[in-house]
Amino acid sequence: MTTTTRPGPAVARAVPTDEERRIALRSMKRLATGLLAVAAVVFAVAFALQEQVPWLGYVRAAAEGAMVGAIADWFAVTALFRRPLGLPIPHTAIIPTRKDEIGASLGAFVEDEFLSDDVVLGKLRSIGIARRLGGWLAQPANAERLTAEASVAARGVLTLLGDADVEDVVERLARRHLFEPEWAPTIGRVAGRLVADDRQHAVLDVVLDRAETWLEAHPEAFERMVSERLPRWMPGFVDRFVDDRAHREVLGFVRAVRDDPEHPLRAAVDDWLTEFTDALQHDPATIARVESMKAELVASPRVREFAAEAWASAKSALDAALRDPESELRTAMRQAVAEVGVRLASDERLAAKVDEWVTDAAAYVVRTYRHEIAGVITETVERWDPKETTEKLELQVGRDLQFIRINGTVVGALAGLAIFAVASGVQLLV
């Protein structure tokens, strides 16, 4: 026997399949019909022999009552699902003919009894959602499962997003937030703060170090640049002397500036940067010049290319990170999920706040959409095929209804026997 298992509040219970229900229903129908047949046979035998054997009158009366009870209850049970013997008897085939009314009544019942504020809020407050969720999330396997599902969903979203649409968004955002505001004042304010904090000294030191390294490694290149500017009629030894002297002087000057924090060149650079950052903020000509450069950049097709390259790079990196279970992104997601679970399970104040948020959200949904939620039941029942609905409901409760036929047979037999006994006793007294 194959069954499905559904978790209950405490233990799992087995739920029969439709085929198992169908087999059980047929078995009960045969049993109930068999009892009716037995009662009919007993009635026929007792009716034929009651003149020769007087006490068979009691058996006949019991069998007669059993048949009446069995037939009456068969009619009642059958009338719920179909017309008995196919006859158009009023108030039969109740389920298929009144399916829509039953669905509407069921929807109203669920709305009034199951979706009421007292029921929903009482249940939510009693189960401790935050602590249960926290305990579940704190388990590494569950954190990994949630992270994996979220990654699959995120990759699905990436697949659905059109590259051209995203590129348009990136381009519009870049134009709106990067190109529409004036650049010069912003650059001037940021650069002014850096200069005020003497951050330019570190940059100048790097430039000087790189210059010294290049001059030491490429003396011939520097000397060639100097020689090309000397007159061609000058003797070669003079060229070499000038080249060598110029190289040593420039190299010495770079080292002197690098080693002396108070070198005049440093002060000159500081003064120039201070004046330039101020001009970027307040000088109309400088601001206009920067805006002109910005306009040329905006008109360049490189903006669109930048948007495409930025999205392609971000999409590729994000997809790879979401795909790899050991990536830094997936690892961080797992850790974040587990940490949230631990906090929810251990922090009473946080758990109480989350429970309150969930309860308030559920209360809002129930109050706002109670009728629509219950309407799903009504609309679903209305869409059901009457025959299919009848069959499914009969599979669910038909087996139990057959006990009504069996009980009717037994009760009818006892009632018939009692009535006959009372009638016989009264007749003897008279």
Side-chain angles (χ1 to χ4, degrees):
M1 179 178 293
T2 303
T3 58
T4 58
T5 301
R6 295 178 185 171
V11 296
R13 63 184 177 88
V15 178
T17 63
D18 285 350
E19 183 60 29
E20 291 170 339
R21 293 181 188 277
R22 189 173 290 108
I23 293 173
L25 175 59
R26 290 172 182 169
S27 176
M28 291 304 299
K29 282 185 175 181
R30 285 195 294 267
L31 176 59
T33 304
L35 289 178
L36 174 59
V38 170
V41 171
V42 171
F43 173 78
V45 173
F47 182 80
L49 299 178
Q50 65 180 347
E51 297 294 336
Q52 292 82 10
V53 185
W55 60 268
L56 286 178
Y58 290 92
V59 176
R60 177 194 60 77
E64 186 176 9
M67 287 192 299
V68 172
I71 293 173
D73 287 338
W74 165 83
F75 182 89
V77 171
T78 303
L80 288 173
F81 303 103
R82 58 188 60 84
R83 298 190 183 280
L85 302 177
L87 300 175
I89 303 172
H91 304 294
T92 58
I94 294 174
I95 290 176
T97 57
R98 301 187 61 188
K99 171 179 66 69
D100 294 347
E101 296 178 35
I102 294 173
S105 300
L106 181 59
F109 176 76
V110 170
E111 180 178 354
D112 296 336
E113 302 298 331
F114 290 91
L115 296 179
S116 65
D117 289 353
D118 293 340
V119 173
V120 174
L121 299 184
K123 183 62 176 178
L124 290 176
R125 292 191 181 107
S126 66
I127 60 179
I129 296 175
R131 280 183 288 276
R132 288 194 178 189
L133 178 62
W136 189 85
L137 293 177
Q139 299 180 18
N142 295 332
E144 169 59 27
R145 177 182 176 185
L146 181 61
T147 301
E149 296 294 341
S151 299
V152 172
R155 289 178 56 213
V157 172
L158 287 177
T159 303
L160 293 176
L161 290 175
D163 290 344
D165 295 335
V166 176
E167 291 167 9
D168 289 339
V169 172
V170 173
E171 183 179 4
R172 286 197 299 269
L173 291 175
R175 291 184 182 277
R176 180 180 306 167
H177 298 287
L178 293 180
F179 297 122
E180 287 185 5
E182 287 187 335
W183 280 8
T186 302
I187 296 174
R189 285 192 297 270
V190 174
R193 295 191 189 100
L194 294 176
V195 171
D197 293 338
D198 294 333
R199 298 298 178 85
Q200 74 277 13
H201 294 167
V203 177
L204 182 59
D205 289 340
V206 171
V207 172
L208 293 171
D209 286 339
R210 296 293 298 174
E212 179 186 12
T213 301
W214 186 87
L215 288 171
E216 290 178 344
H218 303 89
E220 71 286 349
F222 178 84
E223 293 169 359
R224 187 165 55 252
M225 288 189 298
V226 175
S227 298
E228 290 176 353
R229 286 162 176 76
L230 294 177
R232 295 188 178 277
W233 51 264
M234 189 171 291
F237 74 92
V238 176
D239 288 350
R240 289 191 295 273
F241 174 79
V242 172
D243 291 344
D244 181 66
R245 183 60 182 268
H247 178 264
R248 284 189 285 107
E249 289 294 332
V250 171
L251 185 59
F253 177 77
V254 169
R255 289 172 177 170
V257 175
R258 183 200 61 188
D259 297 336
D260 183 7
E262 304 299 329
H263 196 281
L265 178 63
R266 290 181 178 270
V269 170
D270 292 346
D271 293 340
W272 179 83
L273 287 175
T274 301
E275 294 175 0
F276 183 63
T277 56
D278 183 72
L280 287 173
Q281 299 178 66
H282 305 106
D283 181 35
T286 304
I287 295 175
R289 195 175 309 142
V290 174
E291 289 301 303
S292 175
M293 295 170 55
K294 183 186 73 174
E296 294 178 2
L297 178 61
V298 172
S300 171
R302 283 296 300 168
V303 175
R304 180 68 183 189
E305 295 175 7
F306 165 76
E309 293 171 359
W311 167 240
S313 178
K315 181 179 180 181
S316 176
L318 187 57
D319 183 74
L322 291 171
R323 189 188 301 272
D324 182 8
E326 303 302 325
S327 66
E328 294 183 2
L329 177 61
R330 289 277 293 269
T331 301
M333 291 172 62
R334 281 196 301 272
Q335 294 174 349
V337 169
E339 290 174 2
V340 169
V342 171
R343 285 204 60 192
L344 287 176
S346 59
D347 191 333
E348 294 292 335
R349 294 182 59 186
L350 178 60
K353 288 183 179 180
V354 172
D355 286 342
E356 184 178 355
W357 294 336
V358 173
T359 303
D360 291 343
Y364 172 79
V365 172
V366 169
R367 294 192 189 103
T368 307
Y369 302 102
R370 178 187 291 119
H371 185 70
E372 285 76 7
I373 295 172
V376 173
I377 299 174
T378 303
E379 294 172 2
T380 301
V381 174
E382 289 177 352
R383 289 195 299 267
W384 285 352
D385 178 72
K387 182 179 179 181
E388 182 181 357
T389 303
T390 301
E391 292 176 353
K392 286 192 173 296
L393 288 178
E394 189 174 13
L395 283 178
Q396 297 297 320
V397 300
R399 181 176 181 274
D400 295 325
L401 291 178
Q402 298 308 309
F403 282 105
I404 296 178
R405 294 178 57 189
I406 296 172
N407 293 337
T409 304
V410 175
V411 172
L414 295 176
L417 179 61
I419 293 172
F420 182 78
V422 171
S424 297
V426 170
Q427 186 178 13
L428 290 176
L429 291 175
V430 173

